[in-house]
Amino acid sequence: MLTKRVIPCLDVDNGRVVKGISFVHLRDAGDPVELAKYYDEQGADELVFLDITASSDARDIMRNLVEEVSEQVFIPLTVGGGLRNISDLRMILESGADKVSINTAALVESELVTEASHYFGAQCIVVAIDAKKIDIQGNRRSFHIRGNLKGTEIDANSKWEVYSHGGREPTGVDAVKWANKVVELGAGELLITSMDQDGHQNGYDTELLSEISETVAVPVIASGGAGSLDHLRQAIEFGKADAVLAASIFHYGTFTIKEVKEYLSHSGIPIRIVT
């Protein structure tokens, strides 16, 4: 069995790492360059850097900051936020990233996933999906789904809706259908964030994770909701995730990377132990 991965996430806004609750109420969590170096030294398996307001503010990602972060880490670095085309992806990979994460751009033009996979290889194309539970009272909005998203629209059986632009815009797209669609298009990995659970530290949405994990043939990263060591175990055992991503529990010193890995290992989960 492949080892599971523990991944700290740097959500960056205006050059600082921040953390919020359900994508709002952001508070400062530190300097991204210093945190990146710290997590690398602590034994993280990978690092994710997301410029969380680049898409919503319609601006380019902070390239200089990405370069500074990449110089501090010797583990795989995934970078996302405001990446709109092949030139943007190439620029970030040339700046030191090992993988690129696309979210809003894939929804705007899904062919970008295929094109990026062709140019750079599926192994470095991560599609991020921000999903929120649909109102069970039937308050489902009507959307005009663009041609490239046909077949992914929410219906009576849908449980989660995809949001774009840093969780600000509902799309009318079903999260599970979209996950399968982007894998067909060439995504090599999925980053699944539950907007309902994000920042609340009540646990991951294991139902969302398992429904996606069991229907795609690529690795799934669980995001949104880690508050205890057992939450990470549940994301892997019940959510079938291949990796667990967390922010608050690491940024604010609740747990160290070593503590997480030792707990997961003692729970029978294959993990790369920190020496």
Side-chain angles (χ1 to χ4, degrees):
M1 182 184 294
L2 295 176
T3 57
K4 305 300 182 179
R5 293 166 287 150
V6 176
I7 306 175
C9 182
L10 306 180
D11 289 328
V12 179
D13 182 26
N14 292 319
R16 297 286 294 180
V17 176
V18 295
K19 189 60 194 134
I21 298 176
S22 294
F23 287 38
V24 294
H25 308 303
L26 303 179
R27 60 177 176 140
D28 189 84
D31 177 78
V33 178
E34 292 179 0
L35 284 174
K37 181 178 181 180
Y38 173 75
Y39 291 136
D40 180 73
E41 293 173 345
Q42 290 298 304
D45 295 302
E46 297 186 16
L47 188 68
V48 169
F49 174 111
L50 299 176
D51 189 336
I52 61 172
T53 53
S55 290
S56 60
D57 293 349
R59 63 170 172 77
D60 293 333
I61 197 168
M62 299 176 180
R63 181 176 184 175
N64 291 343
L65 190 55
V66 172
E67 291 176 341
E68 290 183 51
V69 168
S70 69
E71 290 173 357
Q72 298 298 323
V73 298
F74 299 92
I75 54 178
L77 172 65
T78 299
V79 175
L83 305 179
R84 302 175 183 87
N85 50 51
I86 291 297
S87 295
D88 289 344
L89 302 184
R90 180 180 291 110
M91 177 267 291
I92 288 301
L93 291 170
E94 291 176 349
S95 298
D98 300 281
K99 305 178 190 178
V100 286
S101 173
I102 52 178
N103 186 333
T104 299
L107 289 157
V108 172
E109 193 61 57
S110 62
E111 287 79 5
L112 176 62
V113 179
T114 303
E115 189 177 2
S117 181
H118 172 74
Y119 273 103
F120 308 116
Q123 75 284 349
C124 70
I125 307 303
V126 180
V127 171
I129 299 176
D130 297 330
K132 189 174 184 179
K133 285 184 178 179
I134 295 172
D135 188 344
I136 61 174
Q137 300 301 318
N139 184 24
R140 297 168 187 257
R141 298 167 299 278
S142 176
F143 288 84
H144 174 67
I145 298 294
R146 294 181 297 275
N148 61 315
L149 298 179
K150 285 293 184 182
T152 65
E153 52 263 62
I154 58 176
D155 56 34
N157 296 315
S158 298
K159 299 178 182 178
W160 301 274
E161 181 179 359
V162 176
Y163 278 62
S164 65
H165 297 85
R168 292 166 175 79
E169 299 291 336
T171 64
V173 171
D174 178 289
V176 179
K177 293 179 184 177
W178 180 235
N180 281 270
K181 171 81 169 180
V182 294
V183 170
E184 292 175 3
L185 291 171
E189 193 165 23
L190 301 177
L191 171 55
I192 309 298
T193 301
S194 166
M195 293 178 61
D196 303 288
Q197 298 299 105
D198 180 73
H200 291 277
Q201 301 189 41
N202 293 323
Y204 298 88
D205 188 334
T206 55
E207 183 184 6
L208 168 65
L209 292 169
S210 64
E211 286 210 18
I212 291 177
S213 297
E214 291 173 355
T215 60
V216 299
V218 301
V220 170
I221 303 171
S223 172
S228 72
L229 295 173
D230 205 48
H231 290 158
L232 291 99
R233 178 190 64 80
Q234 291 170 12
I236 295 171
E237 291 191 350
F238 303 137
K240 312 300 182 185
D242 299 276
V244 283
L245 178 145
S248 297
I249 62 171
F250 294 137
H251 299 338
Y252 302 120
T254 308
F255 301 108
T256 65
I257 301 292
K258 183 178 181 180
E259 287 172 332
V260 168
K261 289 194 166 189
E262 287 179 345
Y263 179 84
L264 293 177
S265 179
H266 292 158
S267 299
I269 294 172
I271 206 82
R272 182 178 69 87
I273 297 298
V274 178
T275 57

